[in-house]
Amino acid sequence: MMRILIAELKQETATFNPAPTRYDDFRVTAGDAIPATYNGTKTELAGAIDTFRAAGGIEIVPTLAGTAVSGGPIGRADLERLLGELLGRVETAGEVDGAYVCLHGAMAGEAEDDPEGRLLAAMRERLGPKPLVASIDLHAVLTEQMMAAADMLVPYHTYPHVDHYETGERAARNLLRLLAGEIRPTTVRVPLPMLVRGDELITATGRFGEAIRMCRAVEQSSGGLAAGVIIGNAFTDVPDLQSNVLVTTDGDRPRAEREALR
């Protein structure tokens, strides 16, 4: 039986908010309480858990899920506590075959611009070459550290966000294919020097909607694994903030480049 570790750490940080976010502002769920808490919800974790259960032969290893609403930068001690508790549970989880992590992607601390990249890098060090897949918001601030640590990043396709559950399913399906040795993810990122407002870019209409439909077509095609247009969060003022196109194919970098540039 394969063992798959799951974790969550999510906040969309507004760095201009003068009130810092504290540990107690997070809803923290640990261990076996995670599946019970998220069961039946329209969340990424529920989508992933349901997908793993449906596959059979999977032991889900829940570690820690911490979520908070948008707020000011996370205090230094508070962020260290969150990361320490999550990574501590990863360390004591025993041997696992792979991991799924649910992130927002636009989290920032008072003294840390890239908490998600730091988390993924630490998990990569713990996992070694074992598959690591993360889901992210399309308002994520994509960093090189995040890209280097994860085998795949799977972004939302909707704003307003109505595909949380489906994004968890997509991430979990790709992780299962990685574990089965069926795919070799190859990711291309095209950075766009643009800063745009999320409320003005819904995905049902307009050019942004057209771009997202192109991404979905890539994913639904043979050899397409994940694709998204990630516009960042204008209120997370960190050095890596910009828009990005992200395309992952099954071992076909030239195609990933063509699709991302298109």
Side-chain angles (χ1 to χ4, degrees):
M1 179 174 286
M2 287 192 177
R3 305 182 77 236
I4 297 180
L5 183 147
I6 62 171
E8 178 179 58
L9 192 62
K10 292 176 68 175
Q11 187 203 34
E12 184 179 63
T13 303
T15 57
F16 300 105
N17 186 334
T21 298
R22 299 303 184 192
Y23 178 92
D24 289 341
D25 294 319
F26 281 80
R27 183 186 72 174
V28 177
T29 309
D32 292 336
I34 294 173
T37 299
Y38 284 83
N39 185 48
T41 65
K42 292 296 183 180
T43 60
E44 300 98 297
L45 279 181
I49 289 169
D50 288 349
T51 301
F52 295 143
R53 285 173 173 165
I58 302 292
E59 179 188 351
I60 297 169
V61 184
T63 55
L64 185 137
T67 65
V69 299
S70 182
I74 305 167
R76 184 193 300 262
D78 305 279
L79 180 59
E80 293 301 319
R81 180 178 175 185
L82 282 165
L83 291 173
E85 288 182 3
L86 197 162
L87 291 170
R89 287 185 172 270
V90 170
E91 285 294 332
T92 58
E95 287 301 312
V96 297
D97 297 285
Y100 163 64
V101 188
C102 176
L103 303 172
H104 181 286
M107 178 181 279
E110 289 180 328
E112 173 60 73
D113 289 336
D114 186 17
E116 291 103 336
R118 179 175 157 193
L119 172 63
L120 290 174
M123 291 187 68
R124 171 55 67 203
E125 184 175 355
R126 168 70 176 80
L127 291 168
K130 294 172 183 175
L132 172 59
V133 174
S135 59
I136 58 174
D137 196 300
L138 60 76
H139 295 112
V141 179
L142 200 58
T143 69
E144 288 294 335
Q145 191 170 216
M146 292 165 64
M147 294 275 298
D151 290 283
M152 289 185 63
L153 297 171
V154 179
Y156 294 170
H157 281 158
T158 65
Y159 184 81
H161 302 315
V162 294
D163 65 334
H164 299 84
Y165 183 90
E166 292 78 6
T167 301
E169 287 182 310
R170 289 160 54 220
R173 286 196 298 265
N174 277 306
L175 178 54
L176 289 173
R177 294 186 70 191
L178 270 165
L179 287 166
E182 296 176 359
I183 56 174
R184 296 178 297 110
T186 301
T187 300
V188 169
R189 172 170 68 155
V190 176
L192 305 174
M194 300 168 59
L195 187 58
V196 295
R197 276 291 303 275
D199 287 351
E200 295 157 1
L201 281 102
I202 61 174
T203 54
T205 59
R207 293 295 192 187
F208 191 39
E210 290 178 17
I212 294 298
R213 285 189 286 278
M214 292 166 67
C215 292
R216 282 177 159 159
V218 169
E219 288 196 10
Q220 292 163 7
S221 69
S222 176
L225 302 179
V229 180
I230 301 165
I231 60 175
N233 175 42
F235 307 107
T236 308
D237 185 24
V238 294
D240 285 298
L241 176 60
Q242 63 181 344
S243 298
N244 292 275
V245 176
L246 194 68
V247 174
T248 302
T249 60
D250 182 11
D252 190 344
R253 185 173 184 84
R255 185 197 171 193
E257 290 177 346
R258 289 195 306 270
E259 297 285 13
L261 288 168
R262 184 167 68 90

